[in-house]
């Protein structure tokens, strides 16, 4: 009887593991057909009027975890810019783009899943350390300089959009966390997530017609500056609906997308999505990202006041 019970438990465990694995979506190839689909689904024009064509740096370098969606997300941003006619998107994986003289030519920077190496979590340091002619002190100092260039760019009025793993770029830097509104902590296994609207009346959320959506994704959890909630939330998850969270989670809502001011600049963060399927299954995300791009370059004035610790 005992052996039969152990076999039963093993089978249940195996089946449950298969269910969890099945919830993770398989990578899909970035093909001309996929890009054509995005081109068809993308908005034909911007939601808000724009006075000029904005120049945007799309930065897609990663040194840590390789999100397979990186090239798809890059294609989405490029197509949104080209089809709307509102953005000139310059794609690069070169950290030299964060030199002051290079940054100043742009109106905004888009960070595309720029995961850095654990435990240091400093993408600039990771890349610079490949140059063996630099000493440890030189590498550390240069990495700090490039990070400060980005911080200064935004603080003086530049825009910043970070998508999914883009928040991990300088994940151990308190200054970067303060600018972003938080740092990446961890995520449970991929699962169907019911995304809700935190501020349905906000113009940046009109893409969703007042309704949330469900998709398979990683539920990013955040720490460091996130506890201050010095941002204006746009999308959230009900904590009770997320499977696999660590420890006790007294917060009723886990925010996964927000906007905030940093000095004179504007920041937009969106965790959705780890999977390219989200863009074709929920084309409202395309409009949402385009509207977010308009926010960071200052085309639209919306309520971006922080909620602080009072919650929303």
């Amino acid at each position: 009887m005992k052996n039969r019970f152990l076999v039963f438990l093993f089978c249940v465990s195996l089946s449950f593991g298969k269910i969890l694995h099945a919830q993770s979506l398989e990578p899909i190839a970035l093909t001309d057909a996929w890009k054509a689909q995005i081109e068809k689904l993308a908005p034909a024009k911007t939601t808000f009027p724009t006075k000029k064509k904005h120049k945007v740096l799309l930065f897609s370098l990663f040194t840590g975890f390789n999100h397979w969606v990186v090239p798809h997300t890059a294609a989405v941003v490029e197509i949104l810019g080209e089809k709307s006619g509102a953005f000139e998107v310059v794609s690069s994986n070169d950290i030299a783009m964060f030199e002051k003289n290079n940054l100043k030519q742009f109106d905004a920077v888009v960070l595309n899943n720029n995961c850095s190496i654990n435990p240091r979590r400093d993408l600039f340091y990771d890349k610079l350390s490949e140059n063996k002619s630099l000493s440890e002190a030189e590498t550390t100092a240069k990495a700090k300089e490039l990070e400060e260039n980005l911080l200064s760019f935004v603080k003086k009025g530049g825009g910043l959009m970070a998508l999914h793993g883009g928040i991990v770029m300088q994940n151990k830097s308190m200054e970067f966390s303060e600018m972003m509104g938080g740092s990446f902590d961890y995520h449970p296994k991929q699962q169907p997530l019911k995304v809700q609207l935190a501020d349905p009346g906000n113009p940046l959320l009109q893409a969703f017609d007042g309704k949330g959506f469900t998709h398979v994704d990683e539920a990013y959890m955040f720490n460091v500056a996130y506890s201050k909630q010095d941002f204006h939330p746009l999308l959230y998850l009900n904590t009770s609906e997320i499977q696999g969270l660590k420890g006790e989670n007294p917060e009723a809502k886990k925010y996964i997308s927000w906007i905030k001011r940093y000095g004179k600049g504007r920041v937009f963060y969106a965790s959705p999505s780890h999977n390219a399927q989200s863009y074709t299954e929920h084309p409202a995300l395309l409009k949402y990202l385009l509207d977010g791009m308009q926010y960071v370059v200052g085309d639209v004035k919306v309520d971006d006041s922080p909620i602080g610790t009072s919650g929303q």
Side-chain angles (χ1 to χ4, degrees):
M1 179 64 71
K2 182 178 180 180
N3 288 339
R4 288 181 180 178
F5 181 68
L6 291 175
V7 170
F8 170 75
L9 288 179
F10 174 78
C11 291
V12 169
S13 176
L14 184 62
S15 298
F16 183 67
K18 288 181 177 179
I19 290 172
L20 285 179
H21 178 72
Q23 291 175 341
S24 297
L25 300 183
E26 289 296 322
I28 58 176
L30 177 62
T31 62
D32 288 341
W34 190 86
K35 289 191 284 187
Q37 188 177 10
I38 295 297
E39 169 72 26
K40 182 178 180 180
L41 295 171
K45 61 180 181 179
T46 59
T47 302
F48 312 99
T50 181
K51 295 181 180 179
K52 71 167 189 173
K53 189 170 187 175
H54 301 282
K55 192 172 183 179
V56 174
L57 171 62
L58 171 60
F59 187 63
S60 300
L61 176 69
F62 58 88
T63 53
F65 185 81
N66 178 4
H67 283 87
W68 66 263
V69 77
V70 169
H72 301 75
T73 301
V76 163
V77 174
E78 290 167 350
I79 290 170
L80 290 175
E82 183 176 356
K83 187 175 180 180
S84 69
F87 298 92
E88 175 190 352
V89 179
V90 177
S91 297
S92 178
N93 288 346
D94 188 352
I95 62 172
M97 297 303 289
F98 292 89
E99 298 286 358
K100 285 184 179 179
N101 288 337
N102 291 328
L103 272 179
K104 68 182 183 181
Q105 66 181 296
F106 298 103
D107 298 304
V109 174
V110 177
L111 300 179
N112 173 20
N113 287 286
N114 314 97
C115 288
S116 50
I117 298 173
N118 204 22
R120 191 175 186 117
R121 295 293 200 192
D122 182 336
L123 183 139
F124 292 130
Y125 177 89
D126 295 343
K127 191 62 181 176
L128 288 165
S129 64
E130 296 174 4
N131 184 351
K132 302 306 178 183
S133 67
L134 295 176
S135 67
E136 175 68 16
E138 290 171 329
T139 298
T140 300
K142 187 62 179 180
K144 186 65 175 177
E145 175 189 327
L146 293 177
E147 179 186 300
E148 289 178 348
N149 289 346
L150 175 58
L151 296 170
S152 177
F153 168 78
V154 180
K155 189 173 292 185
K156 291 180 179 180
L160 180 65
M161 170 185 277
L163 302 177
H164 197 56
I167 201 170
V168 190
M169 182 171 157
Q170 305 295 108
N171 207 54
K172 293 295 180 69
S173 164
M174 176 55 78
E175 293 85 357
F176 186 80
S177 182
E178 293 279 1
M179 176 177 67
M180 283 303 314
S183 298
F184 171 74
D185 187 9
Y186 75 99
H187 66 77
K189 289 182 178 292
Q190 290 192 56
Q191 57 193 281
L193 299 176
K194 297 179 181 178
V195 180
Q196 308 288 347
L197 309 186
D199 181 14
N202 194 296
L204 294 181
L205 287 170
Q206 61 184 284
F208 302 109
D209 293 325
K211 302 176 183 177
F213 62 96
T214 299
H215 71 150
V216 175
D217 201 3
E218 297 171 332
Y220 266 26
M221 299 293 108
F222 306 98
N223 58 15
V224 191
Y226 177 84
S227 62
K228 299 179 181 180
Q229 296 192 345
D230 184 25
F231 52 70
H232 190 89
L234 296 177
L235 302 176
Y236 73 93
L237 305 173
N238 286 314
T239 305
S240 61
E241 296 174 349
I242 306 172
Q243 301 298 315
L245 294 180
K246 297 178 180 178
E248 295 184 5
N249 288 273
E251 301 166 289
K253 300 176 181 179
K254 296 292 183 180
Y255 298 113
I256 58 171
S257 182
W258 57 77
I259 51 176
K260 70 185 300 287
R261 300 301 295 268
Y262 183 71
K264 296 180 180 179
R266 296 173 175 83
V267 177
F268 173 98
Y269 175 69
S271 178
S273 173
H274 176 89
N275 299 303
Q277 290 89 332
S278 297
Y279 297 123
T280 52
E281 294 174 2
H282 302 283
L285 279 171
L286 301 176
K287 179 177 172 60
Y288 180 59
L289 295 185
L290 181 60
D291 291 349
M293 290 171 70
Q294 285 205 270
Y295 166 75
V296 300
V297 297
D299 279 347
V300 54
K301 302 295 189 295
V302 299
D303 181 10
D304 51 17
S305 57
I307 59 172
T309 57
S310 61
Q312 179 168 320

